[in-house]
Amino acid sequence: MAEIRNYTLNFGPQHPAAHGVLRLILEIDGEVIERADPHIGLLHRGTEKLVESKPYNQSIGYMDRLDYVSMMCNEHAYVMAIETMLELEVPERAQYIRVMFDEITRILNHLMWLGTHALDVGAMSIFLYAFREREKLIDCYEAVSGSRMHATYYRPGGVYRDLPDKMPKYLKTDTRTDKEIEKMNENRQGSLLDFIDDFVKEFPRHIKQYDDLLTENRIWKQRLVNIGIVSVKRAKQLGFTGPMLRGSGVAWDLRKNQPYAVYDKLEFDIPIGATGDSYDRYLVRMEELRQSNKIIGQCVTWLKANPGSVMSDDKKVAPPKRADMKDDMESLIHHFKLFTEGYSLPEGEVYRAVEHPKGEFGIYLISDGANKPYRVKIRAPGFAHLASMNEMTKGHMLSDVVTIIGTQDIVFGEIDR
Amino acid sequence: MQKLLEQLEEFFDSSNITSSYGELTLIVASEDIIGTCLKLRDKLEFDTLMDLCGVDYLTYGQSEWVGDASNSGYSRGRSAQGGEDRHQQRFAVVYHLLSVSKNYRIRVKAFVDEAEPIIKSVTDIWASADWYEREAFDLMGILFENHTDLRRILTDYGFVGHPLRKDFPMIGEVEMRYDEELGRVVYEKVSIEPNISVPKVIRK
């Protein structure tokens, strides 16, 4: 009989199921994984080094590019760290806008995750449905910031500008009839808030569609149930956060446990799993979609009723109005100082974390009193999750590796930084 | 937080505990890191290591904008001047711990020397330390004793240097291109000029 030896397989970095640039060295015995060694860093751009060389505000854009499917949540952690050190008061309206966009971002992220995870596992059509709704939310991003992905919308002290009164409409094209265009613009007649309100009302129906396609689907369950089980103890040991920890049955969510912004004023629930397998994490994230939708609805109601300022009036941090600069010397000086030198933070250090769609996203900021950070450490949730790849895949089949990558919700922008 | 502070003071010298922005920092000697971490995990229920990172205090408190202003406008590549470092040792390893069960956070800081940047690994205490320590080794050059697999993690295969150290230039040391004649990629000394577009200014 021929001798059977372990086989080493190189998975990625260009494999479509590797969610970016993951290179996995798999040691397999037949089709069973003996050891998985993820090689990361193929998307390393030195964000932490770059941030050290720029004034604080210029780095907000880098935060978008960390986890590039949950852009505004990354910004939130960064601006919160700065605000804490400056002891800056953020207007309540800005806080609500942030929370609303954090939750929009969560839906964006979870839809992306749902689509690609299902695609990897073999369910093709769900991807298209998920991206249909994603498109609308990306339009909301575009309406407030002018950019569909990398918004740079949050600023220390508030947000860049108030929500627009008009939702941009589709223009006439040669390929569509006027009637079609009119139908597409039907929910874009009012303000951005009206558009989001319409989305909130429609979205549960869409979640039901995803639910119908997957939750009781036999193939989906065969591929997910009992794959990648993580016990509570191991999940804590491995530094899991977010849906990965909640999937194992720990009701831990920073929005509830250490509330920031206005989460303590909103009503929502934290779903948890029971067995800690991939299917439970799927259910947790699906429920998070519903809860996020609920939070957005509450924010829309509040924002419609409470107009007001969206930026702190601290002149040292918030840029002056254009109109004021025309005849006010002081505004001109503030503008000049702010855009040439920036503002300085007091000496000290702070760690601020948000409940990012993937888990705890934290910014550890050290300032030596300068206009640039002395050191910024980005605590990315995906980094800890991917580190557990070896443990989670051991003993599973090769095809389950794809499920586990999917369930970890890996995005390389934040892991490689 | 007050409750945690009281509990901490049972185990640690209160002069090593500082509090700022609602966060507690515990400074320990690098030799004591294992004992400290075990106490924190077993006695105070810090069940999760959220983050571990290295910090380089080489240019702490130094401004790039003192002395003569360069007259070459925005292309100036100024080196840091002035200031004095109040940190006795160059590197620090910073641990951010979280207690999920008690809902506490703490930051533990251990300074290590430049000549011998070695500290004991905490991988046996929290499994998540594995990759974090590899990262701190890769980017900061801090060595972790008893770590079983201390390879580089984020930088390229065969990378030289530790890029997050303050004396590592922003533009890097080498650049890479494809060489037609050799038929492979080659590394060359970096050809771009360092550039500081906004100088660092310290204002009290």
Side-chain angles (χ1 to χ4, degrees), chain B residues 39-186:
Chain B
K39 261 185 227 160
L40 286 170
R41 187 190 68 175
D42 298 334
K43 300 276 181 343
L44 295 161
E45 292 186 50
F46 282 100
D47 42 21
T48 312
L49 172 76
M50 262 302 131
D51 192 25
L52 187 159
C53 70
V55 181
D56 178 4
Y57 281 103
L58 184 67
T59 62
Y60 191 86
Q62 291 178 16
S63 140
E64 284 156 345
W65 200 236
V66 278
D68 301 326
S70 154
N71 54 10
S72 56
Y74 278 94
S75 63
R76 65 190 161 240
R78 291 185 64 81
S79 50
Q81 301 175 8
E84 58 178 302
D85 189 10
R86 279 162 291 116
H87 292 85
Q88 300 290 314
Q89 282 162 312
R90 181 173 166 189
F91 295 107
V93 183
V94 185
Y95 306 76
H96 283 95
L97 307 181
L98 169 74
S99 166
V100 170
S101 43
K102 289 273 170 78
N103 198 359
Y104 291 146
R105 278 180 197 277
I106 193 173
R107 172 162 51 236
V108 180
K109 221 169 175 179
F111 283 91
V112 288
D113 202 31
E114 184 181 359
E116 249 183 74
I118 303 181
I119 192 163
K120 285 243 172 25
S121 164
V122 294
T123 40
D124 289 337
I125 305 174
W126 297 286
S128 56
D130 182 0
W131 275 26
Y132 286 119
E133 288 181 352
R134 279 178 67 187
E135 185 192 327
F137 159 71
D138 186 4
L139 302 180
M140 213 52 105
I142 295 163
L143 298 166
F144 292 89
E145 206 179 323
N146 299 335
H147 190 289
T148 49
D149 186 25
L150 203 62
R151 284 176 291 157
R152 283 185 179 273
I153 185 164
L154 287 176
T155 52
D156 201 0
Y157 305 112
F159 189 87
V160 181
H162 302 288
L164 273 186
R165 285 191 173 185
K166 290 285 178 180
D167 49 8
F168 190 93
M170 174 69 68
I171 55 166
E173 309 270 15
V174 288
E175 58 189 24
M176 190 178 77
R177 68 174 175 86
Y178 181 76
D179 191 303
E180 286 282 348
E181 282 167 28
L182 295 172
R184 61 177 175 86
V185 288
V186 290

Side-chain angles (χ1 to χ4, degrees), chain A residues 53, chain B residues 73-78 170-171 192-198:
Chain A
S53 73
Chain B
Y74 278 94
S75 63
R76 65 190 161 240
R78 291 185 64 81
M170 174 69 68
I171 55 166
I192 49 173
E193 294 279 315
N195 171 22
I196 299 172
S197 54
V198 180

Side-chain angles (χ1 to χ4, degrees), chain A residues 23 37-41 44 48-49 52-53 55 84-85 234 236-239 241 250 252 254 257-258 337 340-341 344 346-347 349-352 360 364 366-372 374-375 377 379 383-384 386-387 415-417, chain B residues 20-21 23 25 41 47-48 50-62 64 86 94 96 98 100 103 105 107 109 125-128 131-132 135 140 151 153-154 157 163-166 168 170 196 198-203:
Chain A
R23 183 177 173 211
D37 178 20
H39 285 202
I40 63 167
H44 181 61
E48 285 164 7
K49 184 90 176 170
E52 286 171 9
S53 73
T84 312
M85 290 190 81
R234 284 313 288 171
K236 286 180 185 172
Q237 266 281 315
L238 292 165
T241 46
V250 185
W252 176 259
L254 293 181
N257 297 90
Q258 299 176 356
K337 282 307 265 184
T340 51
E341 185 185 296
S344 295
E347 195 179 340
E349 55 188 12
V350 78
Y351 177 84
R352 275 294 172 270
E360 174 172 327
Y364 174 42
I366 304 180
S367 163
D368 59 351
N371 56 341
K372 303 174 184 182
Y374 184 74
R375 169 93 166 95
K377 171 71 187 7
R379 194 273 169 195
F383 190 80
L386 188 64
I415 292 169
D416 290 348
R417 279 158 286 152
Chain B
S20 65
Y21 305 109
E23 296 173 333
T25 308
R41 187 190 68 175
D47 42 21
T48 312
M50 262 302 131
D51 192 25
L52 187 159
C53 70
V55 181
D56 178 4
Y57 281 103
L58 184 67
T59 62
Y60 191 86
Q62 291 178 16
E64 284 156 345
R86 279 162 291 116
V94 185
H96 283 95
L98 169 74
V100 170
N103 198 359
R105 278 180 197 277
R107 172 162 51 236
K109 221 169 175 179
I125 305 174
W126 297 286
S128 56
W131 275 26
Y132 286 119
E135 185 192 327
M140 213 52 105
R151 284 176 291 157
I153 185 164
L154 287 176
Y157 305 112
L164 273 186
R165 285 191 173 185
K166 290 285 178 180
F168 190 93
M170 174 69 68
I196 299 172
V198 180
K200 180 175 165 185
V201 189
I202 296 182
R203 301 212 182 271

